[in-house]
Amino acid sequence: MKPIIATPFLWHTSSIEDVFTHVGSDPHGLSSEEAGRRLSEFGRNELRAGTRTSALELFVGQFKNVLVVILLIATTLSFFLGHSIEAIAIAVIVLFAVILGFLQEYRAEKAIEALRKMAAPMATVLRDGEEEEIFAHDVVPGDVLLLKAGDKVPADARMIEVVNLKADEGVLTGESVSVEKHTEIIRKDTAAVADRKNMVYAGTIVSYGRGRAVTTATGMRTEFGSIATMLQHVKTELTPLQKNLNRLGHVLARVALVIVAIIVAVGVARGQSFIEMFIFGIALAVAVVPEALPAVVTISLAFGVQRMVKRHALVRRLSAVETLGSTSVICSDKTGTLTKDEMTVRKVYVAGHMLDVSGSGYDPRGHFSRDGVAIDPFEPLIQLLRAGSLASDAHLQQHESDGLWHMKGDPTEGALVVVAAKAGLHKGDLDNQFPRVQEIPFSAETKRMTTLHTVKDGVIAYAKGAPEMILATCTRLRTEKGIVPLTEKDREAILKAEKNIAGGALRVLAIAEKSNAELKTAEQDMTFLGLVGMMDPPRVEAKAAVERCQQAGIKVVMITGDHPITAEAIARELGILQKGKVVTGVELDAMNDSDFASTIMTIEVYARVSPAHKLRVVTALQQRGKIVAMTGDGVNDAPALKKADIGIAMGITGTDVTREAAAMTLTDDNFASIVAAVEEGRGIFSNIKKYLMYLLSSNIGEIGLMAGTALLGLPLPLSAVQILYVNLATDGLPALALAMDPPEDDLMDRPPRDRNKGIFTRPVVTLMMVGGLWSTAVNVGIFTWVLTTYGDINHAMTMTFVSLTLIQFFKAYNFRSDRLSVLHRTFANRWLNAAILWELFLLIAIVHVPFFHAIFGTRTLSLTEWMIAGGLAASVSVALEVTKYLQRRLHIVEHEA
């Protein structure tokens, strides 16, 4: 039935039945076909994006550079004064530079846009009667939404089912307290948004509980439509590096312009044409003023971020890439990040017996055994398994395509559903037989979850959670003879059994029940049913990733809510726990800040901790000067993720809240992906440094050549066309190729970079100055020698033009590392090889093809002259290699990533 959304309708004053009628839906949701039709009719569920910069605007924007505009005006004037060939050549070169700048910015815009799409939020809906996760922008009116704690509500919707659901609507209403939701009709037509407690609104957060709601409005039709933005907007603010480079660019621009002005003034004073010197001066300024620095850094960061996506790490803020390379401590969750997140019950302790369970993963085939002998399920075991399955929200599904079993829901709950199925107790049948009526959701504070179900003689409560928390609620015990009082001896036996199970690196849950239960007292005077021990095996790749971190000087810390014995066993197997300590949340609470600060670097595992403890750990590490990466997946982890230098959310198990608070999201929830992101971050920063060393050293050489010849009273060593071409040829493709340089072999063998040091350290500045000044000396020498020997200005300018270009080609290879020799994997960068070969081909053509002689003011050189120019140009490599060697010997070279 077609919805009649267009007519005004008061959703909050209408019954659920009337709402379904009005939106043309039902409790089973829409069909895929109908959803597709509505998507075409109503459009995507997204806010109107701010005006995006068009390709034409980007192109026109390239002419906002005042120097480029002045140069084009002066070139036009030169054309009318009779210098037509030179004017056209300058105009063509400037046009090529403008096109290159446009392509760079256009690609950067596309890269950022790709990030926006990858960061788009998700929503869980009912389609064709089945749960399905879709992009939030594909939600349509009539969709039935499945909401749980931590979800960001994707659209305005009317509640149709509520289980203790509360929503944080502060972003919409300004209310600081979460609003408890219900499904009842609200009689007041004019009720304010904050008082419509049977509605949820796009952009608000589910802070507690779970529920279902039918979508009533999407996109700009929502209450949030006029005042909010959605998650897919990736942050594009300037990074600290970009801000520093902006400042550096302005300083260098002022210095360069002063030098250019002096050179022009000297030329005019010596009788050269004003218009010729003016054009030359502007051309030189265009060549040496590094206005493109921040833009190139943006491109490097954006494309680096896209490479990270291929390694399962989605970075939401470009500034995080810089910080990644400085990370010195990674605080990681255990479950699903360091381990596979495929929980399997291995042990069951029930009615005083320790049982083994066979089978693996989510396959519901297996049996129970005692002392190696297979047994049939007996009554206390059946009661235990039934309780565990009913108190879980996970569902087991077998895919028709591959025949494999998959779990929808929490892996721990999935293990309980699977082990019950091994006894013939299937989740769907149990839910139908014992329907759930109420629940007390799991929280980090209580560490348990309790559900209430209808049975023949009333209501029964089932609870599962941490053994110490469940045991504290129990006064009775179920045995093979029935229910008996829980004695102190029984408690000791249960705790001993728990320690025995946990000692095998198994996670232990306790399960209890209460007959004739009411919600307020459900967790009091319960009957203890037993313990289950489950195993989540470590990821094979996690151990290698931990070892790689340790080689890179990064401390890995495990933070988990699991039992300390389980945590210790997994941490030792992965190599995280070596000589350090295991500390529990209780022990952490007992420490004052000074005690904690003095011992924090010796702690390698935190067990049984809450999200509040995570925040304290991050703060203490930062106070020690550490750069901290912290993982999290729950709603309460958001403060710690925001506080951390790099907050890392889980893409699979994480909530919308944590993903929004985090700087990075793991699309596979894998610890190895964190390490890969750190490595990629180091590589990106390293490549930006290479690019900047090369670019600024080249500019120093160009300015030095002009200033040197002016001071010696010599003619201009290059024409305006030549200097512009050198800038285009060397600062274009070769410079960009350096930004794509493969990582150095020892990148992850160095300690983390000090974030406060920046790029321009003493060794880096030394290399840039040596490269620039050596280039100056060589080119001034060549120009002076040829001019003195042959007395031909075109000959001298051609030799200088060739030697300057070749020197910058050699420098491109030298600056692939500020530490390692140029002979180490010299030609590993295929992009640089291709760029240099192409530019070398063009250089030979400019020198030897007569057509270009008039344009560039060049002449043909002999083989001997090419060898002289090439040999002297290659000497810059020797100078830079000697400098690197001396810096290594004097221990002033950078040893950080």
Side-chain angles (χ1 to χ4, degrees), residues 138-187:
D138 289 335
V139 171
V140 297
D143 263 328
V144 174
L145 307 173
L146 279 67
L147 304 170
K148 65 180 184 302
D151 284 351
K152 194 167 193 175
V153 180
D156 289 3
R158 170 70 155 84
M159 298 304 307
I160 60 173
E161 179 184 311
V162 170
V163 181
N164 302 319
L165 188 143
K166 295 181 181 180
D168 178 358
E169 297 180 343
V171 69
L172 187 64
T173 65
E175 293 288 337
S176 58
V177 179
S178 293
V179 180
E180 189 168 349
K181 297 295 181 178
H182 58 70
T183 60
E184 303 301 317
I185 296 172
I186 294 173
R187 302 294 177 187

Side-chain angles (χ1 to χ4, degrees), residues 165-293:
L165 188 143
K166 295 181 181 180
D168 178 358
E169 297 180 343
V171 69
L172 187 64
T173 65
E175 293 288 337
S176 58
V177 179
S178 293
V179 180
E180 189 168 349
K181 297 295 181 178
H182 58 70
T183 60
E184 303 301 317
I185 296 172
I186 294 173
R187 302 294 177 187
K188 188 177 179 182
D189 291 359
T190 58
V193 170
D195 296 324
R196 299 174 191 172
K197 297 185 179 180
N198 58 3
M199 299 286 295
V200 286
Y201 296 98
T204 61
I205 303 296
V206 179
S207 57
Y208 194 79
R210 59 184 176 85
R212 297 187 179 197
V214 58
T215 303
T216 57
T218 58
M220 296 304 292
R221 300 178 186 85
T222 63
E223 293 287 341
F224 204 61
S226 61
I227 62 171
T229 56
M230 293 187 76
L231 262 179
Q232 70 256 35
H233 295 289
V234 176
K235 307 289 184 181
T236 56
E237 71 275 6
L238 291 180
T239 73
L241 176 60
Q242 287 171 308
K243 291 175 183 176
N244 289 337
L245 291 178
N246 265 333
R247 289 193 291 270
L248 174 70
H250 291 148
V251 171
L252 292 177
R254 292 189 187 99
V255 173
L257 288 174
V258 169
I259 296 174
V260 168
I262 293 171
I263 293 171
V264 172
V266 169
V268 172
R270 288 165 48 193
Q272 290 180 268
S273 164
F274 173 78
I275 190 67
E276 179 188 350
M277 289 305 301
F278 182 71
I279 292 174
F280 176 81
I282 297 298
L284 180 58
V286 169
V288 300
V289 173
E291 289 197 348
L293 287 185

Side-chain angles (χ1 to χ4, degrees), residues 781-860:
I782 285 178
F783 182 72
T784 304
W785 169 67
V786 176
L787 188 62
T788 304
T789 304
Y790 300 101
D792 183 348
I793 187 66
N794 279 352
H795 192 176
M797 291 175 77
T798 303
M799 282 287 285
T800 307
F801 174 65
V802 169
S803 66
L804 176 61
T805 306
L806 292 179
I807 278 179
Q808 298 189 172
F809 289 169
F810 281 110
K811 282 199 287 189
Y813 285 100
N814 279 98
F815 284 126
R816 288 190 57 240
S817 175
D818 60 325
R819 304 165 58 255
L820 302 176
S821 168
V822 70
L823 299 177
H824 178 75
R825 298 174 62 207
T826 306
F827 301 109
N829 187 338
R830 58 192 178 95
W831 299 107
L832 181 60
N833 299 336
I836 296 297
L837 286 173
W838 169 248
E839 298 295 350
L840 190 57
F841 168 76
L842 292 180
L843 179 63
I844 293 170
I846 289 170
V847 173
H848 288 280
V849 176
F851 173 77
F852 291 117
H853 288 176
I855 298 173
F856 288 92
T858 54
R859 52 155 287 176
T860 302

Side-chain angles (χ1 to χ4, degrees), residues 257-494:
L257 288 174
V258 169
I259 296 174
V260 168
I262 293 171
I263 293 171
V264 172
V266 169
V268 172
R270 288 165 48 193
Q272 290 180 268
S273 164
F274 173 78
I275 190 67
E276 179 188 350
M277 289 305 301
F278 182 71
I279 292 174
F280 176 81
I282 297 298
L284 180 58
V286 169
V288 300
V289 173
E291 289 197 348
L293 287 185
V296 172
V297 170
T298 301
I299 294 167
S300 299
L301 292 174
F303 279 95
V305 166
Q306 287 191 312
R307 288 198 303 273
M308 285 186 182
V309 171
K310 296 177 182 177
R311 303 183 76 173
H312 307 290
L314 172 59
V315 176
R316 296 185 65 244
R317 290 188 285 274
L318 293 182
S319 56
V321 179
E322 297 175 34
T323 311
L324 272 170
S326 304
T327 301
S328 53
V329 179
I330 299 176
C331 298
S332 176
D333 281 329
K334 177 182 73 67
T335 305
T337 307
L338 292 166
T339 58
K340 287 185 175 181
D341 207 10
E342 294 179 359
M343 299 295 286
T344 305
V345 173
R346 297 293 192 195
K347 297 277 187 182
V348 175
Y349 177 77
V350 61
H353 302 293
M354 187 69 76
L355 309 180
D356 294 305
V357 186
S358 67
S360 177
Y362 296 142
D363 191 333
R365 291 174 294 184
H367 63 268
F368 301 86
S369 61
R370 183 193 304 162
D371 299 327
V373 179
I375 61 170
D376 292 326
F378 54 100
E379 188 58 26
L381 175 60
I382 291 172
Q383 293 289 343
L384 168 71
L385 299 178
R386 177 189 296 149
S389 184
L390 284 169
S392 300
D393 290 322
H395 293 276
L396 186 63
Q397 298 174 338
Q398 187 175 25
H399 286 192
E400 294 181 2
S401 58
D402 54 16
L404 298 177
W405 293 91
H406 298 266
M407 189 58 60
K408 183 74 174 177
D410 179 74
T412 299
E413 294 189 342
L416 297 175
V417 170
V418 171
V419 75
K422 290 176 181 177
L425 303 171
H426 299 287
K427 174 69 172 170
D429 297 338
L430 292 174
D431 286 340
N432 292 331
Q433 190 176 355
F434 306 102
R436 185 186 298 184
V437 289
Q438 288 178 306
E439 73 175 57
I440 303 173
F442 176 88
S443 73
E445 290 73 28
T446 62
K447 292 185 172 66
R448 62 175 175 259
M449 174 184 179
T450 303
T451 59
L452 284 76
H453 304 260
T454 55
V455 292
K456 290 181 181 179
D457 52 355
V459 175
I460 190 168
Y462 293 125
K464 69 178 192 309
E468 63 270 27
M469 304 301 286
I470 294 293
L471 199 55
T473 67
C474 294
T475 56
R476 291 181 290 275
L477 173 69
R478 180 177 286 279
T479 68
E480 288 183 275
K481 297 179 180 179
I483 296 174
V484 300
L486 182 66
T487 65
E488 194 60 37
K489 185 177 180 181
D490 294 328
R491 291 180 187 274
E492 291 175 2
I494 291 168

Side-chain angles (χ1 to χ4, degrees), residues 69-79 81 87 275 278-279 282:
V69 173
I70 293 174
L71 181 59
L72 289 174
I73 292 172
T75 302
T76 304
L77 183 60
S78 177
F79 177 84
L81 291 176
I275 190 67
F278 182 71
I279 292 174
I282 297 298

